[in-house]
Structure formats: C-alpha cells, structure tokens
Amino acid sequence: MMRGPSPNLVLPVFFLFFCFTASCSEQRRVYIVYLGQHRGLRTGQEILEDHHSLLRSVKNSEEEAVNSVVYSYKHSINGFAALLTEEEATKLCAMEEVVSAFPGEARWSPHTTRSWEFIMQEEGLRGRETEWMTSKAKLGTEVIVGVVDSGVWPESHSFGDAGMGPIPDRWKGICQEGDAFDSSNCNKKIIGARYYLKGYEAYYGSLNRTYAYRSPRDHDGHGTHTASTIAGRVVPGVSALGGFAGGRAAGGVPLARLAIYKVCWPIPGPNPNIENTCFDADMLAAFDDAIGDGVHVLSVSIGATGVPPKYSHDGIAIGALHAAKHGIVVACSAGNDGPALATVSNLAPWMITVGASSIDRAFDSPVLLGNGVTIKGQTVTPSVLKGSEFYPLVYAGDAVVPGTPGNVSGQCLPNSLDAKKVRGKIVVCLRGSGLRVAKGLEVKRAGGAAIVLGNAVANGNEIPVDAHVLPGTAVSSDDAITILRYINAARRPSAKIGTARTVLGVTPAPVMAAFSSRGPNRVEPNILKPDITAPGLNILAAWSESSSPTKLEDDHRSVKYNLYSGTSMSCPHVSAVAALLKSLHPDWSSAAIRSAMMTTAAVVNTRGGALTDAAGQAAGPLEFGSGHVRPNHASDPGLVYDASYEDYLLFACSSIGAQMDPSFPCPETSPSPSDLNYPSIAVSDLNGSVTVRRTVTNVGRGPARYRVTVAEPTGVSVRISPGVLSFKRVGQKKSFSVALKARDTPSKVYVAGSYTWSDGAHVVRSPIVVSVA
C-alpha cells in the first residue's frame, strides 16, 4: 500500500450498494457487472456478444451498448466493466444472472540483500543460509509468478536471464509493447508483461505521459521492488544509496519466471508519483488475463482504502476466487494502517493476507546532545553534516510561521517553517501528517542544516529509514520525548548527528511493524486476518531508475536498488514461498499451500521470546496471524487444512449472503463461516458455547499418529475431540471438532490461544481468537 512507510494512497471513494436504488443521476462512470464463472468452451467473441446483449437491455441502441464496454472478462471471470449510469447499473443488478454490480473506482492503492538470510536464520539454519538458498535456487524454474503492481524496470540486473532454460510450455501470455517497452524487454525471466488503464482513464482522462509510461515499464519503483523480492536473480555487490545494506541481492526463488501486470498509475496533480492508484476494472482484467496466461502464483501488494467492500463487490476478492479455482495461490498485503485494530484489508479466506515485521538489521546514526546524552537514531541518508562541531537544535513547533495550526505545528509540513528560526540548525520534526521525506524537504527549503525525525507514540520503536535530501536521522517516540525535554530545559540546545552504518544481528527480531494493519476482519470476523507475517521493514530490492529514492518531485537522484517499507514488501516474500512450495508440491491446492505456511509459522523471536510489537508489548494473532513465515518448515508441514472452490462458495453464502456463482445456489441452511476448513479459528461474539469443525490431510511421508495440545484463550475453555488422529497413509483425511465455551472473559475483548497437532516430527499449530458477546 502508498503513504507513510510504503506507497499508500488515501483516496476516499464512497459507494454503498449491492443493487442500487434508482436515482435521477445520468452521470456515467465505470461499473463492474459480475456474472460468476464461465461455463463450457466459448470464444472471446461469443462472450463479448453475451455482454453486449445484457447491455442492450439497458442502453438505447446497439451502438451505445458496444461503445460502453471498457473490459469484457473472458478467461475465467464472467463479467464486464462498462460505462453506466446508476439507474442502468441498478437494472442490471436486478437481473437473475447478475451476481453483483459495483463501481470500478479508485479505492485501491499499492500497500533484498538481508531479508531472505534472516528468514533462514529463523529456521535454525544460521551459518547454512547460502547452502539452503543455493539448493532451493534450483527450484522454481517451471513456476510462473504474476505480479499485479506498477510495472517493472526490465534493465535491472535482478531480471537478467543468463543460464535460464526455455520458457515453460504452459505460458500463454504476451509481451505487450508501449512507451519505452518492446518485445526485447521480455526474456526468460520476465516472460510476459501487460498494462491496464481503461478504468483509470475513464476516471481521470488520458494518462499524462510526461510522468508515466503507457506500457508495462515502471514509473514508480513499487512494482520493480516487489517483483525482484520474489524472483530477482542473484546480484553481488548491491547496496542502497550511500552504500547502505550492502551485500548480495536475490529474490526468494531466483529461477522462477515473472509475468508483469501493470494496474497502478499516478494520481494527477502536484508531485503525481508520490501516490499511485489502482482501479477495480483494471485489476479484474489483470486477474482474468493472468488466469488465462498460466501463472501459478499471483502477488498483489495492493489494498482497499476506507471501509472494506463485501467479497462480491471486491475486485481483488473476485479475481482471487477465480484464481483459487484454477489452483493459483494469491498473496495480498494486509495494509499499512496499523497499529489501530480492525484496519486489515484483503479479507477473503481464499487469499493469503500478509502483515509486516522487521529483520535483524539496523542503520545506526546516533544523535549526541549538547548535555552529553547519546540518542540512538537510524538513517540511510548519504549526506552528512560538515565538521564535527555541534549545531544549534530547534523543535519545529517553536519555529513555524504564523498561522500554522497548533495540532500540526511540529510536523514540518510544506511551507510551515520560518527560515529565520531554522537556518543553519538541526530541526526536530515529528511524524504524523505528511510524508516523512517531505518533512526533510521542508527543513531544507527553510535553510535547516539537518533533520531529526521523531516517531509519534503510535510508531513506538519502529523506524522506517529514509534517504533524506539533507543530513538527518530518525528516533523512537521515547527518544523524541527525551530530545524535546532537553530542548525545553537547555538555554542553548545543540546536537550533532553521527555517521550512519549498517548493523546486523539486531535483537529482538522479528518485531511487528507499527504500520502493519491489524485484525479483526471487518467483513467476516469469524475468519482471522492477517494470516501470517513476513519481512516488510527497510527491505532492499530493485528500483525503477525513472524514480528517485524518495519519489519527491524535487529529488533528482537515481538509484538501481532502494530500501522500502510496508506490507507491500512483506507480501512478495510470502509469494516467493508459495512459488517454492508450488515447485516442491505441484499437486497441492492453493489452500494447502496457505495452510503449510500458516501452521508452521514461528511465534517466537531470535531471543526465544514471544513476538512483540513496535512498543515492545507482546503481539498476538490480530497482529501477526499465525506467525512469522518459515519456508523450510512449510515445505514439510505434516498436515494441511484443504478447501475447495465449492467450500468458498458455501462460505460466501453464509458469510455475506451472496451467491457468487449462479450455477451454485446457496442452500437453505449454510454452514457457519467459522466452519470453513481454515488453518486458524476465529469466533466473534461467542455467546455461551460453540463447536467448530476441521479436517486435516496427511501430507507427511507415511503413516502417522498425531496428538493435540491446547493453549486456551483467557476465560475460554477449549475441548478437541478426538485428541488423537491416526493416519494409515499419505493423503488420508481426518476430522475433529473444537468446542469453545466462554467462562469469565469480558465482553467485546479479543483473547487468543492455540491448538497444536504433533507426531513428534511435525508441529502443526493453529491460533484461536475469540471475542465474547
């Protein structure tokens, strides 16, 4: 996602309908009309004619019906995007064959050298990280990962194809040409690329090609970063601007193939590339093509802003459902709206939703105060202060121009600083409103010598590092308070900033990022989201050379690799693990692959203690889902919780009351949403007691006998029956029930526990989250 730690657009789009109430509005905009699943073998032209036929029923002429079509989805997704009035959309939605009709608007935004080595150390492979990665690097040559994002910078060394074999036979996609992008930009690594902007242009008008490429080429950096994190080749001697985070860059599956689907574009206006937006209609077209092209995994570092839509009105959820039907694993970012609860996005149970956590690397740049106190800071700013002397130190809130609102006076917003009060000084700015890097730009505009960026309380100890346009460093919320107290107490406060350096082996790690969006699930609270966490703080990966490291319009620096933070960065780590598991277990379903990752995830840090949040407090399933991803453990999970397309349709019937496939009518009585065969258990508003059911499949090496242990949530009793599962063969399924009973838990408070099946060799753990009515 694109504001704050990662590209995170906040663009409110308001729509509240399933089938609209007719109004007198004649304004046309793009609506998606979703019809479910294609049945039988039909040509694209036949499908398009059917879509025209539906449109003719609400349009005044054949010509108007034909010209209104924006996209006709033809591979797996049956539906179309068209320019409609609200009244026309309402009429279509009332038709029996129509599942849903909803505006295809801009409610979505896009949400390394060390991260993979850190993951391997978490596996207990310290000292053998290179050996493990080299052995696994031989895998994935037949696996195709689709990246739905802002495009790709194909010239990056991370996308070279030297030594790679022929393109897999299953690939049916294309290399779409456009601005600064032709067929030569695809190779045996980037085997295909497409771009989609009809929905974007229907809303904003023609793309301004002075700041964006009308092609799969990445103008932003976000898509290049995520793609190289998944499957970048091994590139030695890589670092960020200033030489930080130096080492060998490699994706999780360096020999996997990449298919690029560009759906995110700049928002017109000042500094357009700061924020990107992505439209439902464009994303659904990308999903439909990716399914037809033959991808195995789809990585989607994009999420909704504002109130999450129902699954039947959610372009990513609809696309992911069809992908799951075809065995495609879909990984999505959880969002960057933490640490508040109930902020997580991408909430459907047929996708993997990924939170973000830290790795064991820091970029130390201390602040020495005039009273002799040293404050720990972090930065990747290559600029340094001249000389070794102390500089005057000022708090931005004491140096603003008249008329600056008091609630943002210390946040260094554009044109807020008085040059007479900050010139030649180190300026302390606070996080909050505005971009972190833009605060540095404001200090530079006003003539300040350097910036010290202090966390807000909500950000705790988490520090996403930035390549500021002037010398600077960033400090935790507690340390920011210490600095402000010193400024208030000293007659002539002063400070100097130490030279930054890369430090490895930082503990504890991982730590949950404050920005990582939290549960519970706002669409269906009986499904736990996020599912898992992975590295997403200060991740180094390839970058678009058309974009500066800060993406500020006045920053003219160019980099090949960049440090970036967000759940957008954690999602591709899980996508890569999915590709690895697809290579190891090509017959596993997408649900089995998700289960393998979730039930083997770690809930302890490198010190052996419980995972914590940025404030140092114990974290739980609402923050990290099942835990921190462990690829090696996931490759041999012992048991998996499987689910089918039909299971998901039944879930939609009971959860949102929607028949998401017209050929699959909802039964009179649907199973509870909690009974979906999911690798975690969530029960919302427990009143007395409830029993949920699960089924596991033996994917071990032969006969096995598993026993269960339970860690009960506070105030909730948990009884599992039977307590022993005996399997005679691989592939055998066994079912069990989980009875939960409220004892003395306060109402509306979420409590967490877990249950674990083990045969002595495998540990299959599932979190339990309960709130009491």
Side-chain angles (χ1 to χ4, degrees):
M1 292 189 170
M2 275 186 177
R3 178 175 301 201
S6 176
N8 191 6
L9 164 70
V10 179
L11 182 67
V13 175
F14 302 99
F15 56 96
L16 294 168
F17 76 105
F18 296 76
C19 289
F20 293 94
T21 301
S23 77
C24 60
S25 171
E26 293 301 319
Q27 182 178 359
R28 296 196 312 160
R29 54 178 175 166
V30 175
Y31 288 87
I32 293 170
V33 180
Y34 175 50
L35 307 171
Q37 176 80 18
H38 288 296
R39 300 294 168 187
L41 295 175
R42 310 182 66 224
T43 67
Q45 185 58 38
E46 289 173 328
I47 293 166
L48 179 60
E49 288 173 0
D50 280 354
H51 296 164
H52 286 164
S53 177
L54 277 174
L55 285 165
R56 281 196 298 272
S57 69
V58 298
K59 295 292 186 180
N60 295 321
S61 67
E62 171 82 19
E63 181 181 15
E64 188 180 352
V66 170
N67 291 338
S68 68
V69 175
V70 177
Y71 290 108
S72 176
Y73 307 123
K74 58 187 180 296
H75 293 295
S76 174
I77 300 164
N78 188 8
F80 55 88
L83 288 165
L84 301 169
T85 64
E86 186 175 324
E87 182 178 2
E88 291 167 343
T90 302
K91 290 179 179 178
L92 285 169
C93 195
M95 295 179 180
E96 184 177 355
E97 60 264 57
V98 175
V99 174
S100 58
F102 55 95
E105 295 188 346
R107 53 191 165 108
W108 305 94
S109 62
H111 284 170
T112 133
T113 52
R114 181 64 182 174
S115 56
W116 288 108
E117 290 183 6
F118 173 69
I119 287 174
M120 291 308 103
Q121 290 182 11
E122 281 286 274
E123 295 271 21
L125 296 172
R126 183 178 295 274
R128 294 191 291 123
E129 302 95 328
T130 301
E131 172 192 337
W132 192 92
M133 289 299 292
T134 300
S135 67
K136 293 300 180 272
K138 299 173 184 176
L139 299 170
T141 58
E142 295 298 309
V143 176
I144 304 166
V145 182
V147 184
V148 182
D149 212 299
S150 66
V152 70
W153 192 263
E155 291 81 8
S156 172
H157 292 310
S158 291
F159 306 124
D161 66 352
M164 296 190 71
I167 292 171
D169 291 339
R170 70 177 275 140
W171 176 246
K172 302 294 188 291
I174 63 170
C175 187
Q176 186 178 6
E177 298 188 341
D179 293 346
F181 199 98
D182 59 31
S183 60
S184 68
N185 292 122
C186 293
N187 56 17
K188 294 176 183 177
K189 163 58 71 175
I190 300 173
I191 62 174
R194 301 177 186 259
Y195 65 97
Y196 307 83
L197 76 168
K198 292 179 181 178
Y200 171 89
E201 291 192 324
Y203 188 87
Y204 284 117
S206 295
L207 176 71
N208 186 334
R209 293 158 82 170
T210 63
Y211 53 68
Y213 299 100
R214 192 183 183 87
S215 75
R217 182 171 289 279
D218 185 9
H219 57 274
D220 179 84
H222 191 272
T224 300
H225 199 284
T226 56
S228 64
T229 301
I230 298 165
R233 301 300 301 275
V234 177
V235 183
V238 163
S239 66
L241 186 70
F244 295 103
R248 184 187 67 164
V253 274
L255 292 183
R257 318 304 176 119
L258 289 168
I260 305 301
Y261 300 90
K262 180 178 176 180
V263 299
C264 299
W265 304 88
I267 299 174
N271 210 354
N273 281 317
I274 280 290
E275 297 176 332
N276 273 217
T277 186
C278 328
F279 282 72
D280 274 297
D282 298 329
M283 291 191 297
L284 208 52
F287 268 96
D288 194 45
D289 280 340
I291 293 168
D293 288 346
V295 305
H296 297 92
V297 176
L298 276 168
S299 188
V300 187
S301 290
I302 299 168
T305 60
V307 178
K310 286 179 46 166
Y311 305 130
S312 56
H313 294 67
D314 179 335
I316 291 180
I318 291 170
L321 176 63
H322 285 266
K325 185 178 189 297
H326 288 79
I328 299 167
V329 184
V330 180
C332 298
S333 50
N336 300 333
D337 295 319
L341 294 177
T343 51
V344 62
S345 65
N346 291 317
L347 303 172
W350 45 83
M351 60 178 65
I352 307 173
T353 306
V354 189
S357 40
S358 69
I359 61 174
D360 64 339
R361 180 176 62 196
F363 303 94
D364 285 0
S365 175
V367 180
L368 180 60
L369 301 179
N371 60 1
V373 173
T374 298
I375 301 293
K376 182 179 179 181
Q378 287 195 61
T379 192
V380 290
T381 302
S383 303
V384 295
L385 288 168
K386 295 179 181 179
S388 58
E389 71 273 11
F390 283 80
Y391 283 71
L393 181 67
V394 65
Y395 169 49
D398 298 329
V400 292
V401 296
T404 302
N407 61 329
V408 293
S409 64
Q411 297 184 26
C412 298
L413 299 183
N415 300 309
S416 66
L417 294 178
D418 186 334
K420 294 178 182 178
K421 296 179 180 179
V422 304
R423 185 172 291 115
K425 298 179 181 179
I426 297 175
V427 183
V428 179
C429 304
L430 299 180
R431 289 177 63 181
S433 300
L435 299 167
R436 299 188 308 272
V437 289
K439 296 175 189 292
L441 187 65
E442 170 60 10
V443 173
K444 183 178 181 179
R445 180 203 64 79
I451 180 175
V452 173
L453 183 61
N455 275 359
V457 173
N459 306 119
N461 298 320
E462 162 201 300
I463 299 179
V465 293
D466 299 297
H468 285 290
V469 294
L470 80 171
T473 192
V475 300
S476 71
S477 57
D478 287 345
D479 287 336
I481 292 170
T482 298
I483 295 173
L484 293 178
R485 285 174 176 164
Y486 163 67
I487 291 173
N488 289 333
R491 181 174 296 179
R492 293 185 178 86
S494 62
K496 61 182 178 180
I497 299 173
T499 302
R501 63 190 182 96
T502 303
V503 179
L504 303 180
V506 174
T507 60
V511 171
M512 288 306 302
F515 60 76
S516 186
S517 291
R518 269 62 168 170
N521 184 330
R522 285 176 286 173
V523 172
E524 178 47 76
N526 295 296
I527 291 291
L528 177 62
K529 291 288 179 174
D531 293 309
I532 202 164
T533 188
L537 181 66
N538 301 330
I539 303 301
L540 184 71
W543 196 248
S544 168
E545 294 183 44
S546 182
S547 180
S548 73
T550 65
K551 302 206 299 183
L552 294 171
E553 194 169 32
D554 293 329
D555 184 359
H556 303 295
R557 298 170 296 178
S558 178
V559 295
K560 297 180 184 294
Y561 290 83
N562 199 22
L563 286 158
Y564 222 39
S565 298
T567 55
S568 282
M569 285 59 254
S570 57
C571 172
H573 283 86
V574 168
S575 302
V577 177
L580 174 65
L581 296 182
K582 212 43 165 166
S583 180
L584 289 169
H585 305 288
D587 57 330
W588 281 9
S589 68
S590 60
I593 287 174
R594 178 183 60 239
S595 173
M597 284 191 262
M598 290 175 64
T599 61
T600 60
V603 292
V604 295
N605 59 34
T606 49
R607 292 179 179 172
L611 294 181
T612 59
D613 62 21
Q617 302 300 310
L622 293 180
E623 287 89 6
F624 56 63
S626 294
H628 192 269
V629 67
R630 297 193 293 177
N632 197 44
H633 283 69
S635 67
D636 182 22
L639 303 175
V640 295
Y641 295 81
D642 212 346
S644 67
Y645 175 69
E646 288 73 20
D647 291 330
Y648 295 140
L649 295 179
L650 277 173
F651 167 83
C653 290
S654 61
S655 174
I656 60 171
Q659 182 182 343
M660 290 191 70
D661 187 331
S663 69
F664 189 93
C666 290
E668 287 188 15
T669 303
S670 299
S672 165
S674 293
D675 280 331
L676 178 67
N677 201 36
Y678 213 65
S680 59
I681 290 177
V683 176
S684 176
D685 294 331
L686 176 62
N687 187 2
S689 63
V690 69
T691 298
V692 300
R693 292 161 183 82
R694 293 291 186 268
T695 299
V696 287
T697 304
N698 180 21
V699 294
R701 295 179 177 85
R705 182 179 174 85
Y706 283 81
R707 292 183 180 275
V708 72
T709 57
V710 177
E712 293 183 336
T714 302
V716 177
S717 68
V718 180
R719 298 290 180 267
I720 296 180
S721 180
V724 176
L725 300 177
S726 296
F727 298 88
K728 296 180 179 179
R729 65 184 186 280
V730 175
Q732 186 177 7
K733 297 178 183 293
K734 291 283 184 177
S735 298
F736 60 93
S737 62
V738 182
L740 301 107
K741 184 176 181 179
R743 293 195 300 249
D744 53 4
T745 301
S747 63
K748 307 303 179 183
V749 174
Y750 282 89
V751 291
S754 65
Y755 68 93
T756 303
W757 294 101
S758 179
D759 64 350
H762 302 94
V763 176
V764 187
R765 181 185 178 278
S766 294
I768 302 171
V769 175
V770 180
S771 71
V772 175

